[in-house]
């Protein structure tokens, strides 16, 4: 077969020495890159980070996007996207945090925690200067599935989860010792907590999810007492996901099925919605703000299609840009520099 392949190469007549070199090169190519080769093991390599020259007034974002399904549903991946230059790197070694729902990158850029939506485990990665490397630390949590993860003002990391009986739980992850508090905070008003965000001063927490009446809600509470300050109904929301607080804290953007809800916490009211894809079939999962707070980056899934990234100008609520194929099934997203 190999001889037939070489003989069938359509090459111009060349000297014997050059022909020999070409044949050896073809042999090497086939041996190094076998056709149709597949592997069940996760690809643990990660491309080198590209050095990106950014102007001083750059207002873009480096976005970490959890991919629950690709390239292998058992492992998932984290895709990193620069909204100015495109994708810059990828890590897919998710042998423990199955179908990653969310990730958190520390402010120094040295550590990344990846949370599994199917087994409630958290993988810790470290940045070695070129690649994200699994740090050999697996954090077992009391949760059976992690739904969302975010850091509170002050640096503490929290995640919302299901423990098999209730999905209205909030756990604290102590990053200095990589351990999770065994006793969670419980939110009785919500049967599922799909999103968690805080006011800029850290005194108020916003919890998005499904109420005990099975309707979409945003719960506004004091932090950390969880004293209920009010609940905002999200009319027509069959699925509710992560929430994002505006820079000044005057608006909360709640990702949901078909639309993004704009909530004013000061008046406990929904003041509008955004539908960047134009399709009620799109399920928006998470969002992040640009450096100046003007742009909202949102991931969206639609049945039969790969996930897309939408860039929304919050001064007009207009769609600025759509980027396709950012994940097979997008989970959480974080902006980091």
């Amino acid at each position: 077969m190999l001889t037939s392949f070489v003989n069938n190469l359509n090459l111009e007549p060349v000297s014997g020495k050059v022909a020999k070199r070409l044949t050896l090169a073809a042999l090497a190519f086939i041996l190094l890159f076998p056709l149709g080769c597949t592997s069940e093991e996760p690809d643990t390599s990660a491309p080198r980070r590209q050095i990106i020259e950014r102007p001083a007034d750059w207002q873009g974002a480096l976005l970490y996007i959890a991919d629950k399904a690709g390239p292998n549903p058992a492992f998932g991946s984290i895709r990193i996207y620069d909204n100015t230059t495109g994708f810059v790197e990828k890590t897919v070694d998710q042998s423990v945090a199955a179908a990653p729902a969310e990730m958190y990158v520390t402010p120094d850029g040295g550590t990344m925690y990846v949370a599994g939506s199917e087994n409630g485990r958290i993988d810790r990665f470290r940045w070695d200067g070129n690649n994200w490397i699994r740090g050999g630390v697996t954090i077992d949590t009391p949760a059976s599935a992690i739904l969302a993860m975010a850091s509170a003002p002050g640096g503490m990391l929290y995640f919302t989860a299901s423990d098999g009986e209730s999905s209205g739980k909030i756990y604290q992850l102590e990053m200095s010792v990589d351990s999770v508090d065994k006793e969670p905070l419980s939110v009785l008003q919500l049967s599922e907590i799909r999103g968690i965000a805080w006011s800029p001063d850290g005194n108020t927490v916003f919890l998005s999810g499904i109420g005990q009446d099975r309707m979409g809600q945003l719960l506004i509470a004091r932090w950390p007492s969880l004293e209920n300050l009010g609940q905002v109904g999200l009319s027509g929301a069959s699925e509710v996901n992560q929430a994002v607080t505006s820079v000044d804290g005057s608006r909360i953007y709640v990702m949901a099925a078909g639309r993004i809800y704009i909530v004013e916490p000061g008046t406990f009211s929904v003041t509008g919605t955004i539908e960047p894809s134009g399709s009620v079939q799109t399920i928006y999962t998470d969002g992040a703000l640009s450096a100046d707070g003007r742009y909202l980056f949102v991931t969206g899934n639609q049945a039969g299609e790969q996930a897309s990234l939408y860039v929304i100008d919050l001064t007009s609520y207009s769609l600025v840009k759509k980027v396709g194929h950012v994940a097979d099934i997008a989970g959480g997203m974080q902006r980091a520099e």
Side-chain angles (χ1 to χ4, degrees):
M1 179 175 131
L2 184 56
T3 303
S4 174
F5 173 80
V6 174
N7 290 338
N8 288 330
L9 289 175
N10 185 20
L11 299 173
E12 294 295 330
V14 293
S15 68
K17 183 180 291 186
V18 174
K20 183 178 180 180
R21 289 176 178 172
L22 288 173
T23 302
L24 290 174
L27 286 170
F29 180 86
I30 295 169
L31 291 173
L32 289 173
F33 301 93
L35 299 177
C37 178
T38 59
S39 173
E40 295 300 322
E41 294 299 318
D43 176 6
T44 59
S45 64
R48 293 177 64 87
R49 184 192 296 270
Q50 297 178 10
I51 302 301
I52 302 170
E53 296 296 332
R54 299 185 176 106
D57 59 350
W58 180 76
Q59 293 293 335
L62 196 62
L63 303 171
Y64 286 68
I65 302 171
D67 186 350
K68 291 185 176 181
N72 184 322
F75 307 117
S77 66
I78 304 298
R79 304 200 70 183
I80 296 104
Y81 178 79
D82 183 290
N83 77 300
T84 302
T85 64
F87 287 100
V88 291
E89 64 181 87
K90 175 175 69 174
T91 178
V92 294
D93 181 9
Q94 295 300 327
S95 59
V96 176
E102 188 71 274
M103 89 300 302
Y104 173 71
V105 180
T106 55
D108 63 4
T111 305
M112 175 169 62
Y113 293 91
V114 181
S117 66
E118 293 187 352
N119 58 10
R121 292 183 172 180
I122 298 175
D123 252 350
R124 189 186 74 180
F125 287 71
R126 61 180 176 82
W127 179 252
D128 73 348
N130 290 314
N131 301 312
W132 282 110
I133 306 297
R134 286 192 67 219
V137 174
T138 300
I139 304 172
D140 289 313
T141 79
S144 59
I146 296 176
L147 307 176
M149 186 162 59
S151 64
M156 297 302 297
L157 186 59
Y158 294 87
F159 60 90
T160 70
S162 169
D163 61 2
E165 297 180 359
S166 169
S167 297
K169 308 287 188 180
I170 304 173
Y171 291 90
Q172 178 180 291
L173 170 60
E174 179 56 67
M175 291 180 283
S176 63
V177 293
D178 289 328
S179 68
V180 174
D181 285 355
K182 300 302 181 183
E183 294 298 325
L185 300 172
S186 294
V187 181
L188 300 179
Q189 296 89 343
L190 297 176
S191 62
E192 295 181 14
I193 305 176
R194 293 281 177 171
I196 182 168
W198 284 266
S199 59
D201 61 11
N203 294 327
T204 307
V205 66
F206 307 104
L207 301 170
S208 52
I210 303 298
Q212 298 297 342
D213 58 0
R214 304 310 301 168
M215 303 296 290
Q217 291 185 9
L218 178 70
L219 174 69
I220 303 175
R222 295 193 190 280
W223 183 259
S225 68
L226 290 179
E227 176 190 347
N228 185 3
L229 298 177
Q231 294 167 248
V232 181
L234 305 176
S235 177
S238 59
E239 179 175 333
V240 178
N241 294 305
Q242 186 61 284
V244 177
T245 307
S246 66
V247 172
D248 62 4
S250 65
R251 293 175 302 281
I252 312 300
Y253 302 100
V254 183
M255 314 303 140
R259 59 187 62 86
I260 301 163
Y261 290 83
I262 306 170
V263 177
E264 285 189 356
T267 59
F268 299 93
S269 61
V270 175
T271 60
T273 60
I274 312 170
E275 301 177 18
S277 75
S279 171
V280 295
Q281 302 301 318
T282 303
I283 299 176
Y284 303 101
T285 52
D286 202 352
L289 294 171
S290 61
D292 60 357
R294 174 174 176 176
Y295 299 100
L296 177 65
F297 305 96
V298 175
T299 48
N301 297 309
Q302 190 163 322
E305 299 180 5
Q306 288 189 315
S308 296
L309 173 70
Y310 302 91
V311 184
I312 302 164
D313 187 339
L314 294 178
T315 62
S316 59
Y317 298 123
S318 59
L319 179 65
V320 175
K321 184 179 182 181
K322 175 184 176 180
V323 182
H325 313 299
V326 296
D328 284 349
I329 301 177
M333 176 172 62
Q334 182 191 341
R335 174 180 176 272
E337 301 302 341

